[in-house]
Amino acid sequence: MTTFEFSRAPLEPSQLAADLADPACGGYASFEGWVRNENEGRRVERLDYESFETLAIREGERIIQEAIERFGVRHARCVHRIGELGLGELAVWVGVASGHRAEAFAACRYIIDEVKHRVPIWKKEHYADGDSGWVNCERCAEAAHHAHASGHAHDHDHGQGHGHATSSPVAVDYSRQIALPEVGEAGQRRLAAASVVIVGAGGLGCPVLSYLSAAGVGTIHIVDGDVVEASNLHRQPLYGVGDIGQPKAHVAADRLSAAHPNVMIRAHATRLDAGNAAQLLALGEVVVDCTDNFRAKFLVNDAAVLARKPAVLASIHQYEGQLQVARPDRGGSCLRCVWPEATRDGLVGNCAESGVLGPVPAVLGSLQAMEVLKILLDLPGQLRDELLLIDLLGLRQTRLRAPRAVECSGAGCARIHGLPAPAPEDLELDLPLAEAARRGLRIIDIRGAEEIEAAPLPVEASLAYAQERLIAEAATLLDPSARYLVVCARGVRSLAVAERLRAAGFSAVHSLARGADGTRRAR
Amino acid sequence: MAGVRIQYFALLREQAGRSSEETDASGDAAALYDALAARHGFTLPRAQLKVAVNGEFADWSRELADGDEVVFIPPVAGG
C-alpha cells in the first residue's frame, strides 16, 4: 500500500478505510475534502486538478511519514483526485489508524493541513459566469505577501516541514519530563497531539509560548494583532530591538519554530474580536488568555464558555497578578462568576499607565503554562473554582474560593447569551491625527497630564478631559452635531469611552485606533 | 467594634499606600469599604470590587466579626 497517491478514478472511502484495518488500532479518523460550489464569492461549477506527480508524491509520502513519527500513529494514508471533478465529488481523502483517538485526530489534521500547503497541486476553477482560474497554495502566497503588514488578518504557518523551515538533525529530548511518573511516554504523546490557542503574545504570552512549545505541545496558535514596540522589550524576552515594528505573532512563531522544529506554530496576526473569536478558539482544545485589556479578557472567557472549552486566564497589575481557570467543559466557574458585569477598560490602569516589572508577567505566565500542562496531562491539583492572587512585592499568595454562580446550571453561564455584536466599523479610525484634524474631527485627549507631557500630540487637541468627567458631563461638554475623535495612549481606553458616548446618543464619536503611541510610531 | 485585618491589591494598594492594615470596624463590609475609601481616597466604586472574608468571597452586607481577614480585590487587566 502506498502512503500517498493520486487517483483519476472516484475514491471509495469504505475501501480505503478497510485497507488500514489493524487489530492493534482502537481509533480511526478520516478527512474528506469535497468540491464546493463557491470560492471567494464566485459560483464554481467544476474543477480540474493537476499535479507535478513525481515531486508531489515524494512530498506527500514525507508528510505521512512525519505524521506517523510525530503522533505515534500506526497507519496513515492520503489519496488525492486528479483530473476533472464535479460539485460534491470527493477530492481528497486522509485516513489514520492508531491505538487511541487523540493521536488519530491530530495526525489526520496535520496531514490534510500539510498536504494543502506543501504538495504541488493546482486547481482550475470553472465559474458559473463562464470564466475560469488557476488556484495554488494561495494561503501561503498571501501570507508571505503580507508578512510585514501589521494588523492585517491572515494566517501563516511556521514549523517543521513548511518547506522553508530548516530541519535540525538533533531532536528535542523530552526525557526529563517523561521521567515524571505522572507524565511518562503516554503523557508526552498526549502533549504532541494537543493544540492550544494563546491569545496575546506579550508579557504573559512570552512565557506561556516558550514553555508550552518547549514541552512539546504539538500545535500552538498565536493570536496577536500588535507589533513589537521598544517599550515591550523589558518584559517580553522573545523579542529584541531588531524586531521593533514587526508583528508579534510572526516574530514569536519564527523564534519558537527555530527552537522547536517538531512543534507546529501557527501565527494569526490579528486582534481577537467578536467576529473571529469562535473560529480562532475552535483551533485548540485549551485557550490561554494573555491579553492586556478587559474587553479581550471577557471576550476570551465568553467565547470559551460558549465553546465549552477550558480557558486559563491571568492578569497583572504592577507587582501583582490574578490567575483563574474556567472549566465550562466540567461545569466549573468562569470569569463572570467573579466579575458578573464585564469590567470596562480605563477603570484601572494597564501596563502602559501603571508600570510593570518583567518577572511579574513571567511568574503569572509560567503559572498559566503549568495549568495548561496540568489540564492536558490530567494532573492533580488543577486550579478550579478559585481565584489565585499573587503579590510579588510582599511574596504573598492568597487563594479564594470562587464557586460557580448560583444562577448558572447545566452547561454554560447565565450571564453569557452570545458574543457581543461586533463594534460598528467606523468606531475606530486609523489615520494620522493631522489628517483627522483636516477632516474636521475635533480631537479629545483623555490622557492624564503626565502622559500628555511625556508624549504631546502632533496637533493641538480641541478638548482635554479625564474620561470619567467626559462621560458624566457629555451633554454639556459635547456638541451633538460635531464629529469627535477620542485619543488615549494605546486606543484601549478611548475605544471604551467612544463606545459609551455612542450609547449615550453621540453617534459621530470615534476612537483613534492604536492610540497616540501607535500612530506616532507608524509615522 | 470588631478588630479586622485588611489586605489591599492593585489600585487600592497604590491609593492606600500600603498592602495591609488593621483597623476597627463596625457594621458590614460595605460600611468598612466606604469608611476606608473616605480615609484613603479610593476612586474605585464599590460595585467594581469584590470583597472576601476569611478566604471566601462574601456579600457586601456581611457583618464583620473580631479577627476577620478582609480582602478588597479590584479587577486587573494587564498582560
Side-chain angles (χ1 to χ4, degrees):
Chain A
M1 181 182 78
T2 54
T3 58
F4 185 94
E5 63 186 89
F6 288 101
S7 168
R8 280 176 173 73
L11 306 180
E12 286 295 335
S14 56
Q15 184 54 48
L16 293 166
D19 290 345
L20 297 181
D22 178 343
C25 293
Y28 162 76
S30 70
F31 173 83
E32 296 183 9
W34 302 343
V35 176
R36 194 178 48 184
N37 67 356
E38 177 273 337
N39 188 25
E40 301 194 337
R42 303 186 72 180
R43 284 192 60 77
V44 174
E45 296 205 312
R46 61 191 167 84
L47 293 179
D48 282 320
Y49 281 107
E50 272 186 23
S51 177
F52 177 23
E53 292 193 35
T54 38
L55 185 70
I57 289 172
R58 208 178 307 138
E59 190 67 12
E61 287 174 340
R62 201 173 293 142
I63 291 168
I64 300 288
Q65 195 52 38
E66 285 166 13
I68 289 172
E69 286 169 10
R70 228 177 107 170
F71 300 101
V73 298
R74 287 179 69 85
H75 310 291
R77 191 179 181 202
C78 176
V79 186
H80 205 296
R81 279 292 303 280
I82 211 155
E84 189 177 316
L85 276 77
L87 292 182
E89 271 201 82
L90 177 49
V92 57
W93 173 90
V94 179
V96 178
S98 65
H100 302 282
R101 66 183 183 281
E103 306 94 89
F105 277 120
C108 190
R109 173 79 193 241
Y110 176 81
I111 291 166
I112 187 61
D113 285 352
E114 292 300 302
V115 166
K116 285 269 191 184
H117 280 92
R118 290 160 54 187
V119 176
I121 297 170
W122 293 269
K123 180 166 79 170
K124 186 177 192 176
E125 296 182 331
H126 298 271
Y127 305 110
D129 58 12
D131 196 6
S132 62
W134 287 98
V135 184
N136 173 40
C137 196
E138 51 193 328
R139 285 205 323 143
C140 265
E142 191 190 354
H145 181 67
H146 291 300
H148 300 296
S150 66
H152 192 97
H154 62 269
D155 298 354
H156 192 44
D157 303 338
H158 300 256
Q160 183 189 42
H162 187 48
H164 46 67
T166 50
S167 59
S168 165
V170 183
V172 180
D173 175 356
Y174 296 107
S175 62
R176 298 302 191 271
Q177 66 189 33
I178 289 173
L180 291 163
E182 296 82 5
V183 180
E185 295 281 357
Q188 195 61 47
R189 279 198 300 277
R190 174 77 190 86
L191 293 182
S195 55
V196 176
V197 177
I198 295 156
V199 186
L204 293 165
C206 281
V208 171
L209 287 163
S210 299
Y211 283 109
L212 292 185
S213 55
V217 169
T219 307
I220 291 177
H221 294 270
I222 311 174
V223 182
D224 195 316
D226 287 343
V227 296
V228 177
E229 299 172 19
S231 63
N232 297 151
L233 303 183
H234 80 114
R235 68 184 187 285
Q236 300 178 19
L238 273 176
Y239 314 118
V241 285
D243 304 315
I244 290 171
Q246 301 299 316
K248 281 185 182 178
H250 290 304
V251 178
D254 286 343
R255 292 280 130 78
L256 297 167
S257 298
H260 306 283
N262 55 316
V263 173
M264 170 73 70
I265 314 273
R266 300 203 163 211
H268 308 268
T270 183
R271 184 161 69 172
L272 190 83
D273 61 37
N276 64 19
Q279 205 182 350
L280 287 167
L281 263 60
L283 297 171
E285 57 197 279
V286 178
V287 186
V288 192
D289 164 55
C290 301
T291 65
D292 63 355
N293 62 83
F294 288 116
R295 171 191 299 272
K297 284 184 191 300
F298 281 92
L299 183 58
V300 171
N301 178 76
D302 294 0
V305 169
L306 290 172
R308 311 276 180 266
K309 207 160 269 199
V312 179
L313 306 126
S315 299
I316 53 161
H317 180 84
Q318 293 191 329
Y319 305 103
E320 296 160 27
Q322 300 183 358
L323 180 69
Q324 197 182 349
V325 179
R327 291 303 302 268
D329 55 321
R330 300 272 172 93
S333 66
C334 78
L335 195 59
R336 285 177 187 269
C337 295
V338 178
W339 313 107
E341 300 304 323
T343 312
R344 291 190 307 272
D345 284 298
L347 198 65
V348 294
N350 59 36
C351 294
E353 301 142 22
S354 308
V356 61
L357 279 183
V360 177
V363 168
L364 270 294
S366 299
L367 288 171
Q368 286 182 289
M370 186 66 194
E371 288 305 309
V372 171
L373 293 177
K374 282 156 78 175
I375 291 170
L376 295 176
L377 295 167
D378 201 21
L379 299 184
Q382 297 175 24
L383 190 71
R384 189 168 148 193
D385 295 347
E386 279 183 289
L387 179 66
L388 180 68
L389 305 176
I390 296 204
D391 164 16
L392 287 162
L393 212 51
L395 290 172
R396 291 179 304 169
Q397 173 177 315
T398 308
R399 271 175 96 153
L400 294 168
R401 273 184 32 76
R404 196 158 182 228
V406 286
E407 59 266 40
C408 296
S409 62
C413 167
R415 291 165 181 132
I416 302 169
H417 306 292
L419 298 181
E425 262 181 34
D426 68 341
L427 184 60
E428 279 187 291
L429 297 181
D430 194 349
L431 76 182
L433 280 169
E435 171 66 21
R438 233 187 337 270
R439 290 191 198 173
L441 285 153
R442 295 167 76 171
I443 293 160
I444 311 177
D445 194 341
I446 59 164
R447 296 176 301 162
E450 283 176 20
E451 289 178 287
I452 293 175
E453 194 181 330
L457 297 184
V459 296
E460 201 171 334
S462 308
L463 304 165
Y465 294 114
Q467 63 187 75
E468 294 79 13
R469 177 159 177 231
L470 180 62
I471 286 160
E473 300 173 26
T476 51
L477 296 176
L478 302 184
D479 171 0
S481 63
R483 296 166 65 223
Y484 293 99
L485 182 66
V486 187
V487 178
C488 70
R490 294 172 56 243
V492 172
R493 284 172 291 167
S494 59
L495 185 59
V497 167
E499 236 175 9
R500 291 177 70 192
L501 289 173
R502 284 207 181 193
F506 296 92
S507 57
V509 174
H510 308 271
S511 161
L512 180 66
R514 297 179 292 124
D517 293 356
T519 43
R520 189 174 55 247
R521 267 190 321 275
R523 277 205 320 279
Chain B
M1 283 300 226
V4 299
R5 187 178 161 75
I6 302 152
Q7 271 193 66
Y8 297 116
F9 284 92
L11 193 59
L12 296 182
R13 179 184 49 74
E14 271 180 81
Q15 292 177 344
R18 68 198 74 190
S19 58
S20 66
E21 68 178 316
E22 287 178 19
T23 190
D24 286 331
S26 58
D28 61 14
L32 174 62
Y33 181 77
D34 293 345
L36 293 167
R39 188 188 304 170
H40 296 304
F42 293 153
T43 54
L44 278 175
R46 183 150 42 78
Q48 300 290 344
L49 298 175
K50 296 292 282 187
V51 62
V53 179
N54 301 332
E56 301 250 7
F57 284 110
D59 290 334
W60 285 104
S61 60
R62 162 80 168 250
E63 291 291 322
L64 297 174
D66 210 35
D68 275 351
E69 297 268 348
V70 181
V71 188
F72 294 117
I73 308 141
V76 300

